[in-house]
Structures are given as C-alpha cells and as structure tokens.
Amino acid sequence: QVQLVESGGGSVQSGGSLRLSCAASAYIRRGNCMGWFRQVAGKEREGVASISSGGSTTYANSVKGRFTISRDNAKSTLYLQMNSLKSEDTAMYYCAAEPYAICSGSFSFSSWGQGTQVTVSS
C-alpha cells in the first residue's frame, strides 16, 4: 500500500518554528512532485508548497519567506521547515503528491496522508 506518513506537528507560540517530515518512499522513488497543503475544519484546503523531483519549488504567498520545502531522495523523506509561525498558520497539514514529476504550480495533489496538526498560539 502506497503511503504518505506525516510527523512533526505540535503546538508552538507565535514566532516559533516547527519542522514537518513525511515518509514517502514510493512517491519519492517514482520522482513525483511532492508538497504540502493545509486545512482548517470547515474551510477549503490551501496549497502551501510544492517541490519537483529536480528541486524546483513553489510557495503560497502567505508562507513565502517563512516556510521552506525540501526533499531528501536518499531518505525518501519530504520536509517542511516552518519559521516565524503565526496564529493563522494553525491548521492540519497534509503531505501530498501530484501525479507527475513536474509540478503543476497550482498544488493539484492527487494523493495525501492523514495529516499532522499544527497549532500556533499568540
């Protein structure tokens, strides 16, 4: 069974940092575009960042300059480093994959994990 398994969520104060990780061996081996989206209950999901197999990245305007996405192909792991966190970053964060190696640029994810909660208190 192909899986995406997130970890690293938690509670942090405003201005703090967290690093999310995602075990994604099958998708990384295939070279899929990978990324993260977040969702608050009752609201539409929001694409946060994506990274192609070659390392090209795309970020939502709301996180540019604060979040960094990276992938370690040798470890089959995707990361999201989140700095200068704000209360509005509070959400469930999902590791996700697009169908192809080249990212769409519009966070068109077709597979995702169970999510990890990030809570930022002011």
Side-chain angles (χ1 to χ4, degrees):
Q1 184 177 1
V2 178
Q3 288 187 317
L4 295 161
V5 182
E6 305 92 340
S7 61
S11 297
V12 64
Q13 289 192 328
S14 180
S17 298
L18 282 173
R19 188 176 81 155
L20 306 183
S21 300
C22 174
S25 57
Y27 293 99
I28 298 261
R29 276 201 307 270
R30 288 204 297 249
N32 287 72
C33 167
M34 303 294 300
W36 297 88
F37 69 87
R38 63 189 181 187
Q39 190 165 25
V40 176
K43 295 187 177 181
E44 290 189 4
R45 74 183 193 186
E46 176 190 17
V48 173
S50 64
I51 183 168
S52 70
S53 59
S56 297
T57 58
T58 302
Y59 294 95
N61 287 334
S62 57
V63 307
K64 277 182 183 176
R66 300 188 298 122
F67 290 11
T68 302
I69 188 171
S70 61
R71 60 195 284 165
D72 187 330
N73 292 334
K75 295 183 178 179
S76 297
T77 303
L78 180 72
Y79 301 100
L80 185 68
Q81 178 67 44
M82 305 186 294
N83 298 329
S84 303
L85 283 161
K86 306 175 183 179
S87 56
E88 50 263 46
D89 294 319
T90 295
M92 186 73 80
Y93 282 72
Y94 296 85
C95 172
E98 292 195 13
Y100 307 110
I102 298 175
C103 296
S104 66
S106 58
F107 308 117
S108 300
F109 302 118
S110 55
S111 304
W112 49 88
Q114 295 296 309
T116 185
Q117 178 68 37
V118 171
T119 302
V120 184
S121 57
S122 55

PDB file of all heavy atoms in Angstrom, residues 1 9 11 14 20 23 34-35 42 44 46 49 71 76-77 82-83 86 100-101 105 108 115 122:
ATOM      1  N   GLN A   1       0.851  -1.182   0.000  1.00  0.00           N
ATOM      2  CA  GLN A   1       0.000   0.000   0.000  1.00  0.00           C
ATOM      3  C   GLN A   1       0.888   1.233   0.000  1.00  0.00           C
ATOM      4  O   GLN A   1       1.785   1.356   0.816  1.00  0.00           O
ATOM      5  CB  GLN A   1      -0.897  -0.006   1.231  1.00  0.00           C
ATOM      6  CG  GLN A   1      -1.880   1.146   1.257  1.00  0.00           C
ATOM      7  CD  GLN A   1      -2.805   1.053   2.462  1.00  0.00           C
ATOM      8  OE1 GLN A   1      -2.696   0.138   3.266  1.00  0.00           O
ATOM      9  NE2 GLN A   1      -3.709   1.990   2.586  1.00  0.00           N
ATOM     10  N   GLY A   9       4.219  17.647  13.780  1.00  0.00           N
ATOM     11  CA  GLY A   9       3.298  18.697  14.186  1.00  0.00           C
ATOM     12  C   GLY A   9       3.323  18.897  15.688  1.00  0.00           C
ATOM     13  O   GLY A   9       3.963  18.145  16.427  1.00  0.00           O
ATOM     14  N   SER A  11       2.302  22.032  19.069  1.00  0.00           N
ATOM     15  CA  SER A  11       1.889  23.364  19.488  1.00  0.00           C
ATOM     16  C   SER A  11       3.123  24.231  19.700  1.00  0.00           C
ATOM     17  O   SER A  11       4.107  23.779  20.287  1.00  0.00           O
ATOM     18  CB  SER A  11       1.085  23.280  20.783  1.00  0.00           C
ATOM     19  OG  SER A  11      -0.107  22.550  20.581  1.00  0.00           O
ATOM     20  N   SER A  14       3.551  31.882  18.810  1.00  0.00           N
ATOM     21  CA  SER A  14       3.762  32.755  17.660  1.00  0.00           C
ATOM     22  C   SER A  14       5.226  33.176  17.581  1.00  0.00           C
ATOM     23  O   SER A  14       5.841  33.513  18.598  1.00  0.00           O
ATOM     24  CB  SER A  14       2.866  33.976  17.794  1.00  0.00           C
ATOM     25  OG  SER A  14       3.037  34.850  16.704  1.00  0.00           O
ATOM     26  N   LEU A  20       8.113  19.804   9.779  1.00  0.00           N
ATOM     27  CA  LEU A  20       7.302  18.645   9.461  1.00  0.00           C
ATOM     28  C   LEU A  20       8.100  17.696   8.569  1.00  0.00           C
ATOM     29  O   LEU A  20       8.873  18.139   7.729  1.00  0.00           O
ATOM     30  CB  LEU A  20       6.022  19.053   8.742  1.00  0.00           C
ATOM     31  CG  LEU A  20       5.142  20.102   9.437  1.00  0.00           C
ATOM     32  CD1 LEU A  20       3.875  20.333   8.628  1.00  0.00           C
ATOM     33  CD2 LEU A  20       4.823  19.690  10.854  1.00  0.00           C
ATOM     34  N   ALA A  23       7.261  10.611   5.435  1.00  0.00           N
ATOM     35  CA  ALA A  23       7.831   9.395   4.840  1.00  0.00           C
ATOM     36  C   ALA A  23       7.039   9.089   3.582  1.00  0.00           C
ATOM     37  O   ALA A  23       5.820   8.881   3.652  1.00  0.00           O
ATOM     38  CB  ALA A  23       7.760   8.245   5.828  1.00  0.00           C
ATOM     39  N   MET A  34       6.106  16.629  -5.090  1.00  0.00           N
ATOM     40  CA  MET A  34       5.603  16.470  -3.721  1.00  0.00           C
ATOM     41  C   MET A  34       5.271  17.831  -3.131  1.00  0.00           C
ATOM     42  O   MET A  34       5.799  18.865  -3.573  1.00  0.00           O
ATOM     43  CB  MET A  34       6.665  15.788  -2.851  1.00  0.00           C
ATOM     44  CG  MET A  34       7.144  14.442  -3.344  1.00  0.00           C
ATOM     45  SD  MET A  34       5.855  13.197  -3.290  1.00  0.00           S
ATOM     46  CE  MET A  34       5.464  13.170  -1.550  1.00  0.00           C
ATOM     47  N   GLY A  35       4.444  17.817  -2.104  1.00  0.00           N
ATOM     48  CA  GLY A  35       4.128  19.097  -1.500  1.00  0.00           C
ATOM     49  C   GLY A  35       3.355  18.977  -0.212  1.00  0.00           C
ATOM     50  O   GLY A  35       3.196  17.883   0.346  1.00  0.00           O
ATOM     51  N   GLY A  42     -13.866  23.036   8.164  1.00  0.00           N
ATOM     52  CA  GLY A  42     -14.919  23.885   7.649  1.00  0.00           C
ATOM     53  C   GLY A  42     -14.479  24.840   6.559  1.00  0.00           C
ATOM     54  O   GLY A  42     -15.297  25.594   6.018  1.00  0.00           O
ATOM     55  N   GLU A  44     -11.846  25.504   2.944  1.00  0.00           N
ATOM     56  CA  GLU A  44     -11.194  24.829   1.825  1.00  0.00           C
ATOM     57  C   GLU A  44      -9.711  24.632   2.129  1.00  0.00           C
ATOM     58  O   GLU A  44      -9.107  25.415   2.863  1.00  0.00           O
ATOM     59  CB  GLU A  44     -11.347  25.658   0.549  1.00  0.00           C
ATOM     60  CG  GLU A  44     -12.755  25.687   0.003  1.00  0.00           C
ATOM     61  CD  GLU A  44     -12.831  26.338  -1.369  1.00  0.00           C
ATOM     62  OE1 GLU A  44     -11.785  26.691  -1.922  1.00  0.00           O
ATOM     63  OE2 GLU A  44     -13.958  26.481  -1.873  1.00  0.00           O
ATOM     64  N   GLU A  46      -5.751  24.687   1.508  1.00  0.00           N
ATOM     65  CA  GLU A  46      -4.866  25.706   0.933  1.00  0.00           C
ATOM     66  C   GLU A  46      -3.516  25.069   0.600  1.00  0.00           C
ATOM     67  O   GLU A  46      -2.851  24.521   1.498  1.00  0.00           O
ATOM     68  CB  GLU A  46      -4.662  26.851   1.918  1.00  0.00           C
ATOM     69  CG  GLU A  46      -3.689  27.910   1.447  1.00  0.00           C
ATOM     70  CD  GLU A  46      -3.310  28.905   2.528  1.00  0.00           C
ATOM     71  OE1 GLU A  46      -3.521  28.623   3.722  1.00  0.00           O
ATOM     72  OE2 GLU A  46      -2.768  29.977   2.187  1.00  0.00           O
ATOM     73  N   ALA A  49       3.084  24.522  -0.337  1.00  0.00           N
ATOM     74  CA  ALA A  49       4.358  24.474  -1.060  1.00  0.00           C
ATOM     75  C   ALA A  49       4.428  23.185  -1.857  1.00  0.00           C
ATOM     76  O   ALA A  49       3.795  22.185  -1.510  1.00  0.00           O
ATOM     77  CB  ALA A  49       5.530  24.542  -0.083  1.00  0.00           C
ATOM     78  N   ARG A  71      13.329  18.017  -0.069  1.00  0.00           N
ATOM     79  CA  ARG A  71      13.141  16.569  -0.167  1.00  0.00           C
ATOM     80  C   ARG A  71      14.518  15.908  -0.139  1.00  0.00           C
ATOM     81  O   ARG A  71      15.463  16.406  -0.749  1.00  0.00           O
ATOM     82  CB  ARG A  71      12.366  16.162  -1.418  1.00  0.00           C
ATOM     83  CG  ARG A  71      12.992  16.547  -2.728  1.00  0.00           C
ATOM     84  CD  ARG A  71      11.995  16.441  -3.876  1.00  0.00           C
ATOM     85  NE  ARG A  71      11.754  15.050  -4.283  1.00  0.00           N
ATOM     86  CZ  ARG A  71      10.731  14.689  -5.052  1.00  0.00           C
ATOM     87  NH1 ARG A  71       9.853  15.586  -5.473  1.00  0.00           N
ATOM     88  NH2 ARG A  71      10.595  13.417  -5.402  1.00  0.00           N
ATOM     89  N   SER A  76      14.071   9.185   1.172  1.00  0.00           N
ATOM     90  CA  SER A  76      12.652   9.110   0.768  1.00  0.00           C
ATOM     91  C   SER A  76      11.767   9.935   1.701  1.00  0.00           C
ATOM     92  O   SER A  76      10.674   9.489   2.099  1.00  0.00           O
ATOM     93  CB  SER A  76      12.183   7.648   0.752  1.00  0.00           C
ATOM     94  OG  SER A  76      12.901   6.910  -0.204  1.00  0.00           O
ATOM     95  N   THR A  77      12.221  11.112   2.044  1.00  0.00           N
ATOM     96  CA  THR A  77      11.516  11.948   3.017  1.00  0.00           C
ATOM     97  C   THR A  77      11.341  13.360   2.480  1.00  0.00           C
ATOM     98  O   THR A  77      12.243  13.919   1.858  1.00  0.00           O
ATOM     99  CB  THR A  77      12.282  11.995   4.349  1.00  0.00           C
ATOM    100  OG1 THR A  77      12.467  10.659   4.831  1.00  0.00           O
ATOM    101  CG2 THR A  77      11.509  12.784   5.395  1.00  0.00           C
ATOM    102  N   MET A  82       9.116  25.360   8.992  1.00  0.00           N
ATOM    103  CA  MET A  82       8.216  26.489   9.186  1.00  0.00           C
ATOM    104  C   MET A  82       8.795  27.404  10.255  1.00  0.00           C
ATOM    105  O   MET A  82       8.940  27.002  11.421  1.00  0.00           O
ATOM    106  CB  MET A  82       6.830  25.992   9.603  1.00  0.00           C
ATOM    107  CG  MET A  82       6.237  24.975   8.633  1.00  0.00           C
ATOM    108  SD  MET A  82       4.550  24.508   9.034  1.00  0.00           S
ATOM    109  CE  MET A  82       4.817  23.668  10.591  1.00  0.00           C
ATOM    110  N   ASN A  83       9.137  28.615   9.864  1.00  0.00           N
ATOM    111  CA  ASN A  83       9.686  29.613  10.778  1.00  0.00           C
ATOM    112  C   ASN A  83       8.734  30.792  10.914  1.00  0.00           C
ATOM    113  O   ASN A  83       7.831  30.972  10.084  1.00  0.00           O
ATOM    114  CB  ASN A  83      11.044  30.098  10.267  1.00  0.00           C
ATOM    115  CG  ASN A  83      12.082  29.001  10.187  1.00  0.00           C
ATOM    116  OD1 ASN A  83      12.064  28.052  10.972  1.00  0.00           O
ATOM    117  ND2 ASN A  83      12.991  29.122   9.235  1.00  0.00           N
ATOM    118  N   LYS A  86       2.728  32.044  12.645  1.00  0.00           N
ATOM    119  CA  LYS A  86       1.676  32.963  13.054  1.00  0.00           C
ATOM    120  C   LYS A  86       0.440  32.151  13.439  1.00  0.00           C
ATOM    121  O   LYS A  86       0.286  30.994  13.031  1.00  0.00           O
ATOM    122  CB  LYS A  86       1.327  33.900  11.888  1.00  0.00           C
ATOM    123  CG  LYS A  86       2.502  34.651  11.291  1.00  0.00           C
ATOM    124  CD  LYS A  86       2.058  35.445  10.084  1.00  0.00           C
ATOM    125  CE  LYS A  86       3.235  36.162   9.425  1.00  0.00           C
ATOM    126  NZ  LYS A  86       2.810  36.936   8.226  1.00  0.00           N
ATOM    127  N   TYR A 100       2.640  13.766 -11.460  1.00  0.00           N
ATOM    128  CA  TYR A 100       3.791  13.784 -12.349  1.00  0.00           C
ATOM    129  C   TYR A 100       5.017  14.397 -11.691  1.00  0.00           C
ATOM    130  O   TYR A 100       4.927  14.968 -10.606  1.00  0.00           O
ATOM    131  CB  TYR A 100       3.440  14.560 -13.628  1.00  0.00           C
ATOM    132  CG  TYR A 100       2.185  14.056 -14.287  1.00  0.00           C
ATOM    133  CD1 TYR A 100       1.020  14.817 -14.285  1.00  0.00           C
ATOM    134  CD2 TYR A 100       2.155  12.791 -14.879  1.00  0.00           C
ATOM    135  CE1 TYR A 100      -0.144  14.349 -14.865  1.00  0.00           C
ATOM    136  CE2 TYR A 100       0.992  12.320 -15.467  1.00  0.00           C
ATOM    137  CZ  TYR A 100      -0.147  13.088 -15.451  1.00  0.00           C
ATOM    138  OH  TYR A 100      -1.294  12.609 -16.022  1.00  0.00           O
ATOM    139  N   ALA A 101       6.145  14.296 -12.356  1.00  0.00           N
ATOM    140  CA  ALA A 101       7.399  14.804 -11.809  1.00  0.00           C
ATOM    141  C   ALA A 101       7.447  16.329 -11.830  1.00  0.00           C
ATOM    142  O   ALA A 101       7.987  16.957 -10.913  1.00  0.00           O
ATOM    143  CB  ALA A 101       8.578  14.235 -12.587  1.00  0.00           C
ATOM    144  N   GLY A 105       2.213  23.752 -10.355  1.00  0.00           N
ATOM    145  CA  GLY A 105       2.253  25.159  -9.956  1.00  0.00           C
ATOM    146  C   GLY A 105       0.970  25.610  -9.295  1.00  0.00           C
ATOM    147  O   GLY A 105       0.873  26.746  -8.818  1.00  0.00           O
ATOM    148  N   SER A 108      -2.014  20.795  -7.404  1.00  0.00           N
ATOM    149  CA  SER A 108      -3.033  19.831  -7.831  1.00  0.00           C
ATOM    150  C   SER A 108      -2.673  18.434  -7.332  1.00  0.00           C
ATOM    151  O   SER A 108      -2.310  17.543  -8.109  1.00  0.00           O
ATOM    152  CB  SER A 108      -3.157  19.848  -9.360  1.00  0.00           C
ATOM    153  OG  SER A 108      -3.521  21.132  -9.804  1.00  0.00           O
ATOM    154  N   GLY A 115      -2.363  13.530   7.799  1.00  0.00           N
ATOM    155  CA  GLY A 115      -2.232  14.875   8.330  1.00  0.00           C
ATOM    156  C   GLY A 115      -1.592  14.929   9.709  1.00  0.00           C
ATOM    157  O   GLY A 115      -1.610  13.945  10.455  1.00  0.00           O
ATOM    158  N   SER A 122      -0.953  32.737  20.098  1.00  0.00           N
ATOM    159  CA  SER A 122      -0.413  34.108  20.121  1.00  0.00           C
ATOM    160  C   SER A 122      -0.165  34.568  21.540  1.00  0.00           C
ATOM    161  O   SER A 122      -0.550  33.909  22.495  1.00  0.00           O
ATOM    162  CB  SER A 122      -1.377  35.043  19.422  1.00  0.00           C
ATOM    163  OG  SER A 122      -2.656  34.957  19.998  1.00  0.00           O
TER     164      SER A 122
END
